[in-house]
Amino acid sequence: MNAPQNSFAVMPDLAARMPRIPPNRVWVWRVLYALRAMWRHIRVTRPVTALLGPQYRRSRDLLEIDITYLCNLHCDNCNRSVSQARDTMHMPLESVVAFVDEWVRRGKRWRRIRVLGGEPTLHPEFQSIVRELLRYREWHPACIVEVVSNGYGPRVIRELEALPPDVMVDNTAKTGPMQPHFGPFNLAPVDDPRYLLTDYRNACSIARDCGMGLTPMGYYPCAVAGGIDRIAGAGLGALSLPDDGDDMTTAVESLCRLCGRFRDGHFVPRVLRPRLEEERVSRSWRALYERWHAAKAEGRQPVAMTVNGRPVDSAKPGGAA
Ligand code: SF4
Ligand code: SF4
């Protein structure tokens, strides 16, 4: 493996928001996180949001690029729907070239760019995409370029070993499709009566701490949101980089309501997460996947969906070109 550490080792502010818990004090953290969960539930209600504004806004200097939805593992509860809705959709190399040109032209200085998927090393032009990002880094040398990989299988390992040594690798070292520490991504809060009073503009800490997302469908407040839109077909991706003044509120409001990550809303240390050994899918997601598979079988793009009677694309996509 080329890089001995992932980017969190050199980004202490981000690492502090995702603490590792000492085993002798777990109960203290359990209490603290139970209180934090209660506060999250109150914080995202409409009255509190009207008073305090959204709890999280998308990052302006962290970016995650999902270059493919192809993967060689099909984990339960994958938050890109890679196993629930299998696809070989890739981001073309030409798009990456155009995005890099745009960032340089507009003076966009990313602090970190992470390359993900799906399994990014399976993109047929993976190494060329990384080289394009290194072209960007020649212009902005402080930018961290990092690949996030499942580290599974000989092809993936070969691609990781072929990376230049100054590209960081976050190897999650998965060994199979069962990931009991994952959350129930397909339990849409909008299907849960406890979220009746919720303002979905609150997003979650992923939009702030992992960064905004860039996918084959365009820019999103986070890469998970882009993965949701791949299934919903609402076309909420922005085709050019949104201005820093744009919170991408329409995409947040429309897509976070479907996202199981909205429930916790913040990073929960692995030791405190309940084990999840099944795939749990709520009503809206069942309908979305059925529509997606039907469209796929007929060779058409999935059409925009409604969720609980509300159109996912009820407003114009913010920032779309
Ligand atoms: S390895 Fe990652 S992208 Fe692939 S199915 Fe598992 S969670 Fe999803
Ligand atoms: S709730 Fe889901 S879609 Fe919304 S910001 Fe968090 S991870 Fe992204």
Side-chain angles (χ1 to χ4, degrees), residues 70-76 78-80 82-83 117-119 150 172 174 179 182:
L70 181 66
C71 190
N72 57 346
L73 275 177
H74 294 101
C75 306
D76 283 353
C78 172
N79 67 17
R80 304 303 204 272
V82 159
S83 45
E119 171 49 44
N150 62 24
T172 56
K174 291 185 175 62
Q179 309 297 332
F182 276 12

Side-chain angles (χ1 to χ4, degrees), residues 144-162:
I144 293 168
V145 175
E146 181 173 46
V147 172
V148 183
S149 166
N150 62 24
Y152 184 76
R155 175 173 169 190
V156 171
I157 300 290
R158 252 195 331 272
E159 292 289 345
L160 293 177
E161 286 177 346

